[in-house]
Amino acid sequence: APASSLSSAPPPSSAQRTLTSALGGARPLSAVLAAAGSDAASSASTASLGVNAPSSARDSNRAVGAVGARGAGAVEDEDALRQMHASLVAALQGGESAGASAAGAVLPLPSVWVSRWVDYSKKYGLGYRLSSGAHGVFFNDATKILLGDDHDRFEYIERMRGDDGVKYDQRRPSSVSGHAADLAKKVTLMKHFKNYLDEQPGEAEAALAGEMPGDASQAGVYVRKWMRTRHSVIFRLSNNAFQVSFLDDTEVFLWPEARHLTAGEQLITFKSRGTPRRTLTSAQAVALPDVAKRVKYVRDILAQLVT
């Protein structure tokens, strides 16, 4: 059975039955997707996504990711990781004493995060749904599709390399109702992933939307990079946000900028099973034992990516 953000609670057999029902009636998911996308599968990258420990994170990240913005954006992308790592290191060194004085007003939730996902990278790729309601697929050949809110318009995103060797993502607008023939297989796969994710129980995204600050700059955000570790699935969004979704339904989300904070601090949105999301400063987060343990893990992942 494919791994999924939706299958951590029920036993695997139950999750497989749900996938089978949603994506193909009596046929298993593999058969449905194989019928839809044999061409997409045949061109898939052989880069391994199933890393087993943080020490493997750096190589996996470089193998399947793509730098999102051209030129200077590539440098800023790496700088964002370094700044996140430095903020977590400083907060963890400060310990509970820093967190005790950091209490204050309730901080907002981020504008967008990965709310649901299903990993079928053994054959085709990762399908996901964002908190905004948008859907996307990261295919094994590192191409991507981001489906718009109208469920027709989408962007096809390809990894490119400039003359200077810098990698970047190039977007091509298209639509489900009028796409090029070479995208037919991937569009069909995208529709199967979307239908499955929409039919599964998940967070009340519509209710959360009222709590999130409006930000037009977050339109078009997609998963730029992702990888698996033994304990988590890690997403790097195109707005530079960094999300670690643990397989026990705990989540740590690092904001891409600190507009609510002073220099050197980091906003962290934390979620665990049965409790709502809440946003904390890095100092507040490390003062809470259950959050601090996960923050240490994220710090170690980041250390592998920036060194």
Side-chain angles (χ1 to χ4, degrees):
S4 170
S5 61
L6 310 168
S7 62
S8 56
S13 58
S14 173
Q16 179 61 57
R17 287 195 298 271
T18 301
L19 282 163
T20 301
S21 173
L23 283 172
R27 293 188 296 166
L29 177 63
S30 57
V32 175
L33 294 181
S38 56
D39 292 349
S42 64
S43 63
S45 167
T46 57
S48 173
L49 301 179
V51 295
N52 293 321
S55 60
S56 301
R58 178 174 56 197
D59 293 337
S60 178
N61 183 63
R62 289 176 176 170
V64 301
V67 174
R70 186 67 179 93
V75 177
E76 293 170 2
D77 179 66
E78 301 308 315
D79 282 347
L81 288 180
R82 284 189 283 269
Q83 290 166 8
M84 289 175 179
H85 177 253
S87 296
L88 297 190
V89 168
L92 288 164
Q93 290 175 342
E96 294 188 11
S97 59
S101 61
V106 175
L107 293 166
L109 294 177
S111 296
V112 62
W113 63 85
V114 177
S115 60
R116 310 179 190 182
W117 54 269
V118 59
D119 175 8
Y120 213 80
S121 58
K122 286 186 178 180
K123 293 286 285 185
Y124 304 107
L126 175 97
Y128 61 90
R129 175 170 166 153
L130 299 174
S131 58
S132 62
H135 299 76
V137 181
F138 190 122
F139 294 102
N140 283 350
D141 62 0
T143 61
K144 311 164 189 75
I145 282 182
L146 178 67
L147 182 65
D149 294 341
D150 63 0
H151 302 159
D152 182 53
R153 290 175 297 175
F154 69 84
E155 289 185 285
Y156 184 67
I157 304 165
E158 296 180 273
R159 183 175 57 179
M160 310 295 287
R161 185 187 296 271
D163 294 339
D164 54 3
V166 175
K167 297 177 183 178
Y168 63 99
D169 278 359
Q170 179 173 286
R171 299 185 184 220
R172 188 206 317 179
S174 189
S175 68
V176 174
S177 57
H179 55 78
D182 64 330
L183 297 181
K185 300 294 186 180
K186 288 180 177 178
V187 169
T188 300
L189 287 168
M190 179 267 295
K191 290 192 287 187
H192 284 305
F193 278 121
K194 174 191 176 298
N195 291 340
Y196 165 65
L197 290 166
D198 283 350
E199 291 178 11
Q200 305 312 307
E203 292 181 279
E205 292 156 356
L208 288 173
E211 303 175 31
M212 294 186 289
D215 189 347
S217 68
Q218 300 308 309
V221 171
Y222 60 93
V223 172
R224 178 189 294 157
K225 306 177 183 179
W226 78 281
M227 62 186 178
R228 289 188 68 100
T229 72
R230 183 178 301 166
H231 303 292
S232 67
V233 176
I234 301 169
F235 304 101
R236 189 78 196 281
L237 303 187
S238 59
N239 65 352
N240 286 333
F242 192 82
Q243 177 175 332
V244 181
S245 296
F246 294 90
L247 300 184
D248 64 356
D249 204 26
T250 303
E251 183 181 294
V252 173
F253 181 98
L254 303 185
W255 286 49
E257 77 282 331
R259 55 187 168 182
H260 299 277
L261 302 174
T262 58
E265 291 187 296
Q266 173 69 51
L267 281 182
I268 299 173
T269 299
F270 181 78
K271 167 187 172 291
S272 59
R273 181 177 295 175
T275 63
R277 273 184 173 77
R278 63 190 189 275
T279 298
L280 307 164
T281 66
S282 48
Q284 290 171 334
V286 300
L288 302 171
D290 59 329
V291 183
K293 179 174 67 173
R294 306 305 175 128
V295 170
K296 290 176 182 177
Y297 180 94
V298 176
R299 175 203 60 191
D300 293 343
I301 289 286
L302 286 170
Q304 296 296 324
L305 299 177
V306 301
T307 58

